[in-house]
Amino acid sequence: MTTEPLASAASLVFVAILVGAVLPFVPVVGRVARLATTIAHEVGHSVVVVPFGGCIRRIDLRPDGSGEAWVQLGGVPGAVRWLVRILNLYAGYSAPLWAGALLVTGALHGSRWLPVVVLGVIGLIALLFVRNWFGLLVVVGFDALALWVALRPSEATLLVVAGVGALFVVDGLRSVVQVAGWIATGARVQTDFHIAAAEMRLPAGVWFVCFVLVNGVAVWLARDPLLAVWDTIAAGVRAFV
């Protein structure tokens, strides 16, 4: 008697994942949705420096979907400052990918606390350090979503978590591919890799290749749970279709 409702709920989760995956490419709406990925990107830059003695100065979010995080590394020991600088560089584009993977995993496994922790950490840090008015308006909306997920867990919040997770992963990958295109064509842009190239005298392409390799190693280390999530999604989508 309970199999049909459970199957229906599972199907809705896969629909939410598909919607979240498509959302970044929808005109106008996608641009607004991508601001959530920008929040995760800038928080990723900021949070990795704190355990090493660095501090966050401010985060700005802009209507065009871009953002910027200012951090101070003065308190970081000189022996590891170069490593922290590289971690700070790579954390921006990595954060939406891994946050999205955790959100999708939590949604598929019906976990309440995993999405709450992920959204809560991103939302709290953004609220504390975003300084411009537009950014604050965006962050308040994001934090309202995080509070709703935390305080009113339901089938609806599960679907939203699944959609946001898919949005993070797909838009994060879209950004990485876009940067690869810019580097390949020599476009005059100011990405994290170009900033690193100016500061540390290695071409942006070298920093980008290292970024891909580092994340590739991380994916390989986490391959078992990631493959399990992928198999679940693929099976669910096939069943739904």
Side-chain angles (χ1 to χ4, degrees):
M1 294 295 290
T2 59
T3 303
E4 186 174 340
L6 288 174
S8 176
S11 297
L12 288 175
V13 170
F14 295 119
V15 171
I17 290 173
L18 288 174
V19 170
V22 172
L23 200 57
F25 307 101
V26 177
V28 182
V29 176
R31 185 172 180 175
V32 175
R34 289 199 298 270
L35 286 168
T37 309
T38 302
I39 294 173
H41 178 113
E42 301 306 337
V43 167
H45 274 311
S46 304
V47 73
V48 295
V49 305
V50 174
F52 297 94
C55 63
I56 308 166
R57 291 179 59 191
R58 63 180 288 158
I59 297 172
D60 281 351
L61 302 173
R62 306 187 185 99
D64 64 358
S66 64
E68 193 167 3
W70 282 268
V71 297
Q72 251 180 346
L73 303 182
V76 178
V80 296
R81 190 170 299 168
W82 64 273
L83 175 61
V84 176
R85 181 67 187 91
I86 293 172
L87 287 175
N88 178 44
L89 161 68
Y90 288 166
Y93 284 101
S94 301
L97 298 173
W98 292 102
L102 290 173
L103 290 175
V104 171
T105 300
L108 290 176
H109 291 282
S111 168
R112 175 186 175 186
W113 292 110
L114 183 58
V116 168
V117 170
V118 173
L119 294 176
V121 168
I122 295 173
L124 181 60
I125 293 175
L127 187 63
L128 289 175
F129 294 102
V130 167
R131 295 290 183 264
N132 63 319
W133 285 109
F134 174 79
L136 282 172
L137 289 174
V138 174
V139 169
V140 166
F142 186 92
D143 285 355
L145 173 67
L147 281 173
W148 178 52
V149 171
L151 301 178
R152 300 294 296 272
S154 65
E155 184 177 301
T157 58
L158 182 69
L159 299 179
V160 170
V161 166
V164 172
L167 166 69
F168 277 179
V169 172
V170 172
D171 194 42
L173 288 173
R174 182 199 61 80
S175 297
V176 171
V177 171
Q178 186 178 49
V179 170
W182 286 335
I183 292 175
T185 59
R188 292 182 176 275
V189 292
Q190 191 78 336
T191 69
D192 298 335
F193 307 103
H194 292 82
I195 294 171
E199 291 182 1
M200 292 183 272
R201 298 182 183 180
L202 280 176
V206 173
W207 290 113
F208 181 80
V209 170
C210 291
F211 163 82
V212 173
L213 290 175
V214 167
N215 277 277
V217 170
V219 168
W220 184 80
L221 292 174
R223 63 192 181 279
D224 290 339
L226 289 176
L227 284 173
V229 170
W230 175 255
D231 289 342
T232 302
I233 293 174
V237 171
R238 285 196 300 269
F240 177 76
V241 172

